[in-house]
Amino acid sequence: MADNAHDDVKSLSFEAALEQLEQIVQKLESGRAPLAESIAIYERGEALKAHCEALLRTAEARIEKITLSREGKPTGTEPLDAN
């Protein structure tokens, strides 16, 4: 798959990329797309999937956990333990 053929995917929001990915899945599952088109949209789907995964990893890295005092009052934040 040529990366530059799907450069526009990099500019999509998570929601827009996910919506396009869902449409591709529906079209492929319907079995109504010709073979050449199926291959092309499958490749775009792979690019969309990778983009969504990258956006999720970035968002996950930004999530912080609020720390509380013994009295239950917020005292600050710390990185969320991914384990």
Side-chain angles (χ1 to χ4, degrees):
M1 170 175 65
D3 289 335
N4 58 1
H6 302 293
D7 280 345
D8 65 314
V9 168
K10 296 174 186 172
S11 66
L12 294 173
S13 69
F14 175 82
E15 294 79 8
L18 186 60
E19 183 178 335
Q20 284 188 26
L21 187 55
E22 289 171 346
Q23 291 171 358
I24 287 171
V25 168
Q26 288 175 355
K27 192 165 193 175
L28 289 172
E29 286 179 343
S30 75
R32 288 183 255 160
L35 180 60
E37 182 183 354
S38 293
I39 292 169
I41 63 175
Y42 178 84
E43 289 175 345
R44 181 164 180 84
E46 284 291 313
L48 290 164
K49 177 182 171 279
H51 179 63
C52 286
E53 287 172 343
L55 291 173
L56 286 173
R57 279 192 303 275
T58 300
E60 191 175 74
R62 294 180 59 202
I63 295 175
E64 295 181 329
K65 179 171 69 174
I66 297 172
T67 56
L68 303 175
S69 68
R70 290 184 182 188
E71 295 80 37
K73 298 187 183 207
T75 58
T77 61
E78 64 184 36
L80 182 65
D81 185 6
N83 294 330

